[in-house]
Amino acid sequence: SACTATRCSRTVRRSAPDQHLGRDSEGFQLALALGAVRRSQLLAEANDVVARAAKGQRFQGDQLFKLQQALAGFGRQEELLGQENEERKLVGELGELRRSQLMGRAKDVLAQAAKGKRFAKSYIKKLKQDLAGFGHHEQLLGQESEELNLAAALADLRP
């Protein structure tokens, strides 16, 4: 049924005292149910992406990042509630997938540039920024960063 301003505001007014008194309101239960549905959709999508990537399919970094962020949000909620966190494993897998695809793309660019192909300055800049984002984590841990080494090699390219 359509939500009119009057009926919705009455529902909100009725729901707020229920929540303050520790009672589960209908709105709260609906929000929990919708959250569970969204979580299961995200888990299914992430598992599908990981499976297809294992078969060689490539994905846009932004698509992987958004999925990773959404899963991390649900994972934090579950951790706060003291529940098992299946999302954490998938967030890590998606991060490694993003990293490996980015590294492959950077290596391809360097190989093609060595053969004389030129790339837009903005593309190289974005690639370097993405590599640096991954590389700083390793650098903070005192490890040599392959990502930062690739970013430095890309800096030497001429547009």
Side-chain angles (χ1 to χ4, degrees):
S1 68
C3 181
T4 63
T6 305
R7 195 169 76 214
C8 285
S9 66
R10 271 191 247 138
T11 302
V12 169
R13 275 187 260 130
R14 266 187 268 141
S15 296
D18 287 346
Q19 289 174 336
H20 290 295
L21 295 174
R23 289 183 248 145
D24 291 331
S25 69
E26 184 180 343
F28 182 74
Q29 292 300 318
L30 181 59
L32 285 177
L34 290 172
V37 167
R38 179 66 181 136
R39 177 184 176 270
S40 68
Q41 289 173 335
L42 283 171
L43 288 171
E45 182 180 354
N47 280 312
D48 181 56
V49 165
V50 169
R52 289 188 294 158
K55 293 179 182 175
Q57 184 171 345
R58 296 176 80 63
F59 294 90
Q60 294 292 321
D62 292 345
Q63 176 190 5
L64 295 173
F65 182 74
K66 287 177 185 175
L67 183 56
Q68 196 177 15
Q69 292 298 99
L71 281 171
F74 275 100
R76 282 189 292 277
Q77 289 174 359
E78 289 186 357
E79 285 174 1
L80 291 173
L81 297 172
Q83 298 172 346
E84 284 293 314
N85 185 345
E86 169 178 5
E87 288 85 352
R88 178 174 280 184
K89 177 181 145 259
L90 283 170
V91 166
E93 289 178 18
L94 290 170
E96 183 53 37
L97 178 59
R98 282 180 51 222
R99 180 189 172 281
S100 67
Q101 287 188 358
L102 178 62
M103 298 287 288
R105 205 167 72 231
K107 288 174 183 177
D108 288 346
V109 165
L110 288 170
Q112 291 177 23
K115 294 177 183 175
K117 183 170 181 178
R118 294 186 177 259
F119 295 89
K121 187 176 183 178
S122 60
Y123 179 73
I124 298 298
K125 181 180 178 180
K126 172 77 170 119
L127 197 52
K128 288 187 324 188
Q129 288 172 341
D130 291 346
L131 286 165
F134 277 99
H136 287 286
H137 177 72
E138 290 175 357
Q139 195 176 38
L140 289 172
L141 296 173
Q143 301 168 350
E144 185 169 335
S145 169
E146 186 180 358
E147 293 87 355
L148 292 178
N149 291 339
L150 279 172
L154 287 170
D156 294 337
L157 294 182
R158 297 201 186 275

